[in-house]
Amino acid sequence: MEQSAIQARSEPVADPMTPHLYRVQQVKPEIEGTFTLDLEALDGNTEFAFAPGQFNMLYQFGVGEVPISISGDPSVTSTLTHTVRAVGTVTDSLQQLKPGAVVGIRGPFGTSWPVALADGADLVIVAGGIGLAPLRPLIYHILANRRRFGSICIFYGARTPDEILFRTQLEHW
C-alpha cells in the first residue's frame, strides 16, 4: 500500500512544466546564508504532491529561476517548503522576500528515493551541510512509517557547530 502511495505522489497531478504562483508565508533564517521558504498556492490548491527526493524550479520574477530541492514533509500538502543557500543572484533575491511576496513554481521534477525497496531493512542516512535539506522529506517519511524499517541511523556533519542545519530536529530525530 505504501509503495503505491509513493508512486502516486511521484506522478504529478498537472504538467510540471506549467508555472504556478505561490505566496511566501515565511522566510526563516536557518544558518548564515541559508534560509527556509514556506509557500502556499495562490490558487488555493492545498494538494501539492511530491515524493522524497524531488525538486522544484523556483522563479523570482524579474531575476531568474533556480532548481531547489523540496525540504518539507511530503504528508503536508498545504505548505511547500524549500531550504535554500544564498549563493547567487536568484537565491540572494529569494532570501530578501517578505511574507506575502509571490514566486513562481514549476515541478515537481526528478526521481524520488526508492523508499519501498528499503522495507524491513536497516537504514543509514548520511548528509553534510545543506545536503540535509533534500533528505529531510525522506526522514519525515521514514519516521511517519517507522514500523516498516529496522534500525535507522542518521549521520550528519557540518564544518563548524554554527553551521549545523535543523539543529532542533536533529536532536529530536
Side-chain angles (χ1 to χ4, degrees):
M1 177 93 178
E2 185 266 335
Q3 180 178 3
S4 61
I6 287 293
Q7 287 173 343
R9 249 183 265 168
S10 65
E11 295 297 326
V13 175
D15 180 4
M17 295 301 290
T18 302
H20 296 276
L21 300 178
Y22 276 75
R23 181 183 338 266
V24 174
Q25 292 176 319
Q26 172 178 250
V27 180
K28 178 185 174 199
E30 296 289 353
I31 57 176
E32 186 169 339
T34 302
F35 59 99
T36 296
L37 283 175
D38 287 331
L39 308 168
E40 65 181 346
L42 267 180
D43 65 5
N45 179 11
T46 60
E47 295 299 319
F48 188 92
F50 72 94
Q54 291 189 298
F55 70 96
N56 287 322
M57 297 299 293
L58 275 67
Y59 183 79
Q60 174 61 359
F61 297 101
V63 181
E65 185 178 53
V66 290
I68 303 292
S69 295
I70 303 168
S71 63
D73 187 337
S75 70
V76 178
T77 59
S78 61
T79 300
L80 188 53
T81 301
H82 297 82
T83 301
V84 182
R85 176 160 289 165
V87 294
T89 305
V90 179
T91 53
D92 288 343
S93 178
L94 290 170
Q95 187 175 26
Q96 302 307 314
L97 294 174
K98 303 290 184 222
V102 176
V103 298
I105 297 284
R106 292 189 306 118
F109 298 106
T111 303
S112 61
W113 299 101
V115 181
L117 296 177
D119 279 357
D122 295 339
L123 301 176
V124 176
I125 299 168
V126 181
I130 188 91
L132 183 58
L135 289 171
R136 194 163 74 151
L138 175 66
I139 295 167
Y140 282 134
H141 175 77
I142 289 167
L143 293 176
N145 296 280
R146 182 64 190 92
R147 293 184 306 254
R148 300 191 67 145
F149 306 99
S151 296
I152 300 170
C153 294
I154 300 171
F155 292 98
Y156 174 70
R159 283 184 251 169
T160 69
D162 290 338
E163 295 178 285
I164 295 175
L165 191 61
F166 310 128
R167 182 182 298 270
T168 302
Q169 285 184 316
L170 277 169
E171 291 171 1
H172 174 76
W173 293 337

